[in-house]
Amino acid sequence: MAHGASSWSRFWNRGGFWRALLLAVVYLGVYLLIGFLLSRVLAPGGSLRGETGSAGDVFFGTGVPILVTGVLLVAFAASVGWRRELFSRQTLGGRRWMWTAVIVVLAINVFALLSIDYAAAGLPLVGAWLVTGLFIGFVEELVTRGFVVDLMRKAGHREIAVALASAGIFAALHLANLFTSTEGVAVVLQQVVYTFFFGLCMYLVLRVTRTLIAPMLVHASTDPTLELHALFPANGLLGVVPTLSTYIVVLTGLILLIALIVSERRRAAAAPAFE
């Protein structure tokens, strides 16, 4: 048994992109399976409506499946001895310009929070979304800014590759919406582009704060506010910002990606001088 556990840990501690991708695919498969089984139990005559339904639909259709998957991910982290390193303060920090990612995303979320018709939404649905948002932020960031980043760094990849893998795998996970959502292909592909640059912003949040908790909390504040604003928008100019959030995040992410590439090239060029 000890030998098997050691082999298990050694396999994952080699790191690399393909192990990161494998872990993300297994995570997605488990999440979808749990959601499917839960919908059959709670709604045998149909299915839970997930993000667009009632408070119960949101919590049981989206929140509970991702919470159960999160518990399994924490168990996996414990099995390979990564729990402490994932949540400890990171040695690689960021630069001041990386705070732009934090400011832009939080600003969008605040504007969305202030432009929701809470009377129309109702307290139960708002509460269900806030709780579910915490689960989403914790689990999705644990996978992509936690496991993926850690696996890429263990394999010795440069940080630009780490950033692109983290954002790319995060975006690719949302391709599952092609099969689980009633929205068209064009809308889902737009979501994938958005989530790539949102994922890049979360990577920069990780870098500049040096803790995985920060992108988890920023992410947790994003899904509930934007979803509730989309479903129950209040009249007013404040709603313009969250309405344009996709374009704002994509433009911000693109600019920050260019800045990151330049910064990492300069850091790599200067590295030999400190050896």
Side-chain angles (χ1 to χ4, degrees):
M1 181 66 69
H3 176 72
S6 178
S7 299
W8 171 256
S9 297
R10 285 200 301 270
F11 172 81
W12 289 105
N13 277 309
R14 293 190 188 100
F17 175 77
W18 294 111
R19 286 178 178 81
L21 183 61
L22 172 63
L23 181 63
V25 169
V26 171
Y27 147 74
L28 179 61
V30 171
Y31 166 69
L32 292 176
L33 177 61
I34 292 173
F36 173 78
L37 294 176
L38 193 62
S39 69
R40 298 281 77 78
V41 172
L42 297 179
S47 63
L48 294 173
R49 292 167 59 197
E51 297 180 357
T52 60
S54 66
D57 288 339
V58 170
F59 183 73
F60 290 105
T62 303
V64 172
I66 203 165
L67 174 62
V68 175
T69 310
V71 172
L72 296 176
L73 287 171
V74 171
F76 167 76
S79 74
V80 293
W82 291 356
R83 280 192 305 184
R84 178 169 295 182
E85 69 180 71
L86 284 170
F87 292 98
S88 62
R89 182 173 172 80
Q90 301 198 1
T91 56
L92 180 62
R95 300 186 179 278
R96 283 181 293 181
W97 59 263
M98 294 180 180
W99 283 102
T100 304
V102 182
I103 295 170
V104 169
V105 174
L106 286 182
I108 292 172
N109 296 346
V110 169
F111 277 106
L113 190 66
L114 296 175
S115 55
I116 295 170
D117 187 343
Y118 291 98
L123 185 59
L125 183 60
V126 172
W129 256 116
L130 292 177
V131 173
T132 298
L134 287 174
F135 299 159
I136 294 172
F138 176 81
V139 173
E140 292 191 353
E141 292 306 310
L142 178 60
V143 172
T144 52
R145 256 59 68 185
F147 290 127
V148 172
V149 167
D150 203 32
L151 285 164
M152 291 292 290
R153 287 175 175 171
K154 285 180 185 297
H157 290 288
R158 293 182 177 181
E159 279 304 304
I160 187 61
V162 174
L164 292 175
S166 172
I169 289 176
F170 178 63
L173 290 174
H174 289 78
L175 285 171
N177 290 337
L178 288 171
F179 310 100
T180 61
S181 173
T182 57
E183 298 173 323
V185 174
V187 173
V188 173
L189 293 180
Q190 184 182 25
Q191 292 173 350
V192 170
V193 174
Y194 163 79
T195 51
F196 174 84
F197 288 106
F198 180 82
L200 180 69
C201 287
M202 293 303 98
Y203 165 81
L204 295 176
V205 173
L206 173 70
R207 281 282 301 273
V208 79
T209 63
R210 297 191 179 190
T211 173
L212 182 59
I213 299 298
M216 284 179 172
L217 292 176
V218 174
H219 192 154
S221 71
T222 300
D223 291 62
T225 53
L226 292 183
E227 188 66 27
L228 286 169
H229 173 265
L231 294 173
F232 306 99
N235 294 326
L237 292 176
L238 293 178
V240 174
V241 174
T243 300
L244 299 175
S245 61
T246 296
Y247 306 103
I248 295 172
V249 169
V250 169
L251 179 59
T252 301
L254 183 59
I255 294 172
L256 293 178
L257 176 59
I258 296 171
L260 179 64
I261 293 172
V262 173
S263 176
E264 291 303 318
R265 284 183 176 178
R266 288 177 177 173
R267 190 167 70 92
F274 297 98
E275 294 180 351

